Amino acid sequence: MSDSHPEDVSASNSSDKSRRAAEQAARLAYGRLLANLCQQGAAISQAEDALGDAFVRALDRWSIHGVPDSPEAWLLTTARRILIDKSRHAAVVTHAHSEFSAAQLVPVMEQLEQQPCDLRERRLELMMLCAHPEIAANARAPLMLQTVLGLTAQKMSAAFLVSPATLGQRLARAKKSIRLNNLSFTIPQQHEREKRVHDVLEAIYAAFGTAYETVNDARDIRHGLAHEAIWLGQILVHESKDVAEVHGLLSLMLFVQARVHARRSKSGKFVSLSKQDRTRWDWRLIAAAEHHLGKAAALKKPGRFQVEAAIQSHHTQFDPAIGPDWTAICSLYDVLVVRAPTLAAWVGRAAAMGEVKGAQDGIAALEVISADLVTDYQPFWAVK
């Protein structure tokens, strides 16, 4: 018989409910909340600190008073007030190297305190800011994951093959660059926007690719990162429906993710695509991938990610009795290595050539790749 008192059980249930509500708000709204705080005048690091404090307060208050009707609005209001309190304190004790001008921020934040919560979608601006050309290329993907999704350097470090300290330094330098260069938290002009969207796509793809390029003890972290990258892709599709490559990248990621459970045997060994158990593929994701590939094609602006998605489509949508159309796949790879001559593209082309022209031609295509590039690249050895 349990020794727990009814009030103990009730308190525990309330705590669990508040924790789940906070986790859901973090998952669904972290980037939107952070973007709104930044739009209202706070630097990214200050907005992150305030939002973190707001989540801590939420766990405490919600377990006592219950989860509010709009957790997101509660968090934004609380984070605003935390920023106001800190800015007032900073106005009294002015530090020479303050990240923002307290004298300027105080009246702005005081005005905001009187305004209703603004929960408009601002994540695209935040993603554009993370892809600014003034920010180092190797920091864009992790910065985007941190600011839009709230992932820490500790959680992301294994996925980016660096130590938490190194990744933390990259992120700190990126935020410093945003501050020192006074980078704009706005949607840029059309010509600059198109370039930034491309950079956002590349960053998302880089984050997604780390989930599959290396197999090590961080595999679970990497698969989690793949889900986060898809989430970013969905955000971008929601806000940039008229960009064909946005649909192309989401389609590509969905095709790849649909086969994740069939990629390895029970012992953890890599299973080639032709030998995978198709019953373990997620056909709902495949249908969604085809939908976005069709959306991209309708916009009639072909690009690298659409080509890759089309290759994946041929690998999944075929008659099992006949097999994939390897001639079509090989032709698509010929286009891909011109548009994006990546290691994965060259290895994939070699595999397709082996199917179309024979093993010797496939091996010859592999041998043109520098040995230094493929030492730890398992797909190369699997294809060979």
Side-chain angles (χ1 to χ4, degrees):
M1 184 174 179
S2 172
D3 293 329
S4 300
H5 294 288
E7 56 268 26
D8 294 333
V9 174
S10 176
S12 177
N13 290 339
S14 179
S15 179
D16 288 344
K17 185 177 180 180
S18 65
R19 177 181 53 79
R20 288 194 299 270
E23 288 176 350
Q24 183 179 30
R27 170 66 173 151
L28 298 178
Y30 182 90
R32 181 161 55 243
L33 291 166
L34 187 67
N36 273 276
L37 292 172
C38 291
Q39 180 68 19
Q40 294 164 1
I44 286 181
S45 60
Q46 255 117 20
E48 287 175 330
D49 290 343
L51 194 52
D53 289 345
F55 274 105
V56 171
R57 293 186 186 184
L59 291 173
D60 181 40
R61 306 278 177 85
W62 295 357
S63 62
I64 298 173
H65 302 291
V67 178
D69 292 337
S70 178
E72 189 174 343
W74 189 98
L75 287 163
L76 182 60
T77 298
T78 301
R80 276 180 177 175
R81 289 172 179 168
I82 290 170
L83 278 171
I84 292 168
D85 291 341
K86 289 183 177 180
S87 67
R88 284 171 176 161
H89 177 73
V92 176
V93 185
T94 304
H95 295 283
H97 300 290
S98 176
E99 187 168 336
F100 61 90
S101 170
Q104 294 176 354
L105 185 57
V106 169
V108 173
M109 297 307 295
E110 287 178 338
Q111 290 175 11
L112 289 171
E113 191 176 31
Q114 307 303 320
Q115 297 177 4
C117 286
D118 179 4
L119 294 177
R120 288 178 295 170
E121 187 55 76
R122 297 287 188 183
R123 284 176 292 190
L124 182 57
E125 289 101 319
L126 192 55
M127 294 166 78
M128 291 283 188
L129 179 59
C130 293
H132 196 284
E134 291 291 336
I135 296 174
N138 64 2
R140 292 171 192 166
L143 181 63
M144 196 177 301
L145 290 169
Q146 185 179 77
T147 56
V148 179
L149 297 170
L151 299 185
T152 64
Q154 185 71 34
K155 290 182 178 179
M156 293 187 287
S157 61
F160 286 98
L161 303 178
V162 295
S163 68
T166 298
L167 188 58
Q169 289 171 355
R170 287 183 189 173
L171 292 167
R173 285 194 296 268
K175 292 174 186 177
K176 184 178 180 180
S177 179
I178 291 173
R179 174 170 55 87
L180 293 179
N181 292 288
N182 195 27
L183 302 185
S184 177
F185 185 83
T186 58
I187 296 292
Q189 296 297 319
Q190 185 62 33
H191 70 283
E192 179 64 21
R193 178 180 178 178
E194 292 178 0
K195 184 179 185 304
R196 293 275 192 95
V197 168
H198 174 74
D199 289 339
V200 169
L201 291 172
E202 291 291 343
I204 294 173
Y205 187 57
F208 183 78
T210 60
Y212 299 100
E213 290 178 356
T214 305
V215 181
N216 60 13
D217 293 337
R219 190 164 59 244
D220 290 340
I221 297 174
R222 291 172 177 276
H223 286 316
L225 188 57
H227 286 293
E228 303 297 358
I230 290 173
W231 180 257
L232 287 178
Q234 291 170 329
I235 293 173
L236 199 56
V237 162
H238 177 70
E239 296 165 8
S240 299
K241 296 182 178 69
D242 58 338
V243 181
E245 279 287 77
V246 169
H247 291 281
L249 176 58
L250 182 56
S251 174
L252 170 61
M253 293 191 294
L254 291 173
F255 273 127
V256 174
Q257 190 67 11
R259 300 194 300 265
V260 67
H261 296 298
R263 285 173 62 86
R264 302 198 174 277
S265 66
K266 292 182 179 180
S267 63
K269 292 183 179 180
F270 177 80
V271 179
S272 64
L273 184 58
S274 61
K275 296 181 180 179
Q276 288 180 11
D277 181 357
R278 288 162 57 90
T279 64
R280 300 186 66 191
W281 292 356
D282 189 330
W283 289 94
R284 293 172 300 176
L285 289 184
I286 291 173
E290 291 288 354
H291 169 76
H292 285 288
L293 184 56
K295 288 280 190 182
L299 293 169
K300 298 181 179 179
K301 293 182 179 179
R304 170 229 183 140
F305 295 121
Q306 294 169 71
V307 175
E308 292 197 50
I311 291 171
Q312 296 299 324
S313 177
H314 276 288
H315 277 308
T316 56
Q317 305 284 22
F318 62 87
D319 184 342
I322 301 174
D325 185 346
W326 285 106
T327 300
I329 292 173
C330 195
S331 296
L332 286 168
Y333 270 116
D334 287 340
V335 174
L336 183 60
V337 294
V338 173
R339 287 183 174 270
T342 64
L343 179 57
W346 284 108
V347 171
R349 179 175 177 271
M353 287 186 66
E355 293 287 349
V356 175
K357 299 182 179 180
Q360 292 304 315
D361 286 78
I363 291 174
L366 285 175
E367 289 177 345
V368 303
I369 302 172
S370 173
D372 294 339
L373 298 176
V374 298
T375 303
D376 298 318
Y377 189 65
Q378 191 183 31
F380 173 89
W381 301 104
V383 169
K384 192 168 185 177

